[in-house]
């Protein structure tokens, strides 16, 4: 059984083979979806689109509202409609409060929170006509615990902002039959985290995770598939923790 038959989807942050967006796109395609990849890195997004069997890859900076509108319009035209958007594009930074420059702050907010807003706003007209329309935002456990690992307070703020945006959008877009949900991953083994902790810190972290390992990108993709599919048809405005039990609240 495939869970996304006839689903037309955009997945952002999907230009890196070991990233969460890439794993989401791959699992969606395996489940019958037609997928367009979006990423800042134009060359790799084209390459990965071919490799993964996506319909196309589009280069786009999610913090650029006009570029996002153009990209969503292009994707909708190629797909013949739009039923699902997953925004996985994001950046992280571990700078302490006193080190965060004005530029750092605005880039973090513009990409992580602004990017989610831009995608959501641009996709509303198409999603309104979609089938089981769903928007999935990738937040982070950092939103709840205030960062403290590889992401600092501005990262935590950008990811916490996503949770508020998702709840407001779920409330507003429910009548249009568009579901809006968030995933809050714990530590995921991608280029964002790999080799960044060092052996002692890594052991300490693993000791605190009840399931005893970091997530794979596929673990997050499976939760995303759930939120995108009909299995979660009565869920909107939720934040799904996918952290192996590391942060329980
Ligand atoms: N890896 C983790 O432990 C972890 C944990 C919690 C949340 N997350 C979140 O999951 C998402 C994916 O993270 P990942 O681990 O796959 O990271 P990654 O760095 O492997 O992938 C991020 C992707 O986003 C793209 N990107 C960055 N800025 C962009 C922009 N302005 N416009 C378009 N694309 C852009 C990058 O090119 C890259 O392909 C991010 O939002 C991240 O904050 C990751």
């Amino acid at each position: 059984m495939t869970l996304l038959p006839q689903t037309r989807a955009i997945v952002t942050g999907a230009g890196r083979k070991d990233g969460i967006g890439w794993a989401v796109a791959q699992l969606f395609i395996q489940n019958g979806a037609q997928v367009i990849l979006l990423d800042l890195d134009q060359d790799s997004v084209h390459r990965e689109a071919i490799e993964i069997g996506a319909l196309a890859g589009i280069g786009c900076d999610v913090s650029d509202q006009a570029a996002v509108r153009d990209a969503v319009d292009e994707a909708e035209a190629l797909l013949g409609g739009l039923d699902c958007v997953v925004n996985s594009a994001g950046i992280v930074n571990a700078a302490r409060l006193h080190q965060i420059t004005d530029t750092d702050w605005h880039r973090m907010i513009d990409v992580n929170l602004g990017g989610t807003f831009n995608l959501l706003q641009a996709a509303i007209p198409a999603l309104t006509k979609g089938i089981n329309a769903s928007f999935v935002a990738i937040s982070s456990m950092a939103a709840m615990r205030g960062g403290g690992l590889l992401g600092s307070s501005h990262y935590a703020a950008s990811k916490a902002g996503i949770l508020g945006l998702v709840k407001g959008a779920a409330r507003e877009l429910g009548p249009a039959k568009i579901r809006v949900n968030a995933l809050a991953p714990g530590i995921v083994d991608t280029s964002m985290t790999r080799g960044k902790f060092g052996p002692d810190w890594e052991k300490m972290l693993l000791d605190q995770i009840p399931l005893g390992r970091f997530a794979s990108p596929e673990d997050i993709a499976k939760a995303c598939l759930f939120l995108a599919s009909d299995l979660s048809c009565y869920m909107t405005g939720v934040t799904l923790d996918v952290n192996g039990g590391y942060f329980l609240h």
Side-chain angles (χ1 to χ4, degrees), residues 12-16 18-22 38-41 44 60-63 87-92 107 111-112 138-142 150 155 159 162 183-193 217 220:
T12 78
R16 250 180 231 158
D18 69 349
I20 293 170
W22 195 93
L38 249 75
D39 202 283
L40 188 59
D41 187 335
S44 76
C60 173
D61 182 341
V62 295
S63 71
N87 185 39
S88 187
I91 53 174
V92 73
R107 188 67 188 151
V111 173
N112 290 355
I138 310 291
S139 175
S140 170
M141 177 175 73
L150 300 173
Y155 178 72
K159 293 296 185 178
I162 289 173
L183 275 182
I187 304 169
V188 190
D189 181 27
T190 69
S191 59
M192 195 176 263
T193 55
I220 309 304

Side-chain angles (χ1 to χ4, degrees), residues 1 19 21 46 61 89 97 142 160 162 176 182 189 193 209 237 249:
M1 184 179 75
H46 286 304
D61 182 341
L97 268 178
I162 289 173
D189 181 27
T193 55
I209 300 174
H249 57 105

Side-chain angles (χ1 to χ4, degrees), residues 91-93 104-112 154-155 158:
I91 53 174
V92 73
N93 187 292
D104 292 340
W105 167 259
H106 286 290
R107 188 67 188 151
M108 185 64 75
I109 299 297
D110 289 352
V111 173
N112 290 355
H154 58 336
Y155 178 72
S158 71

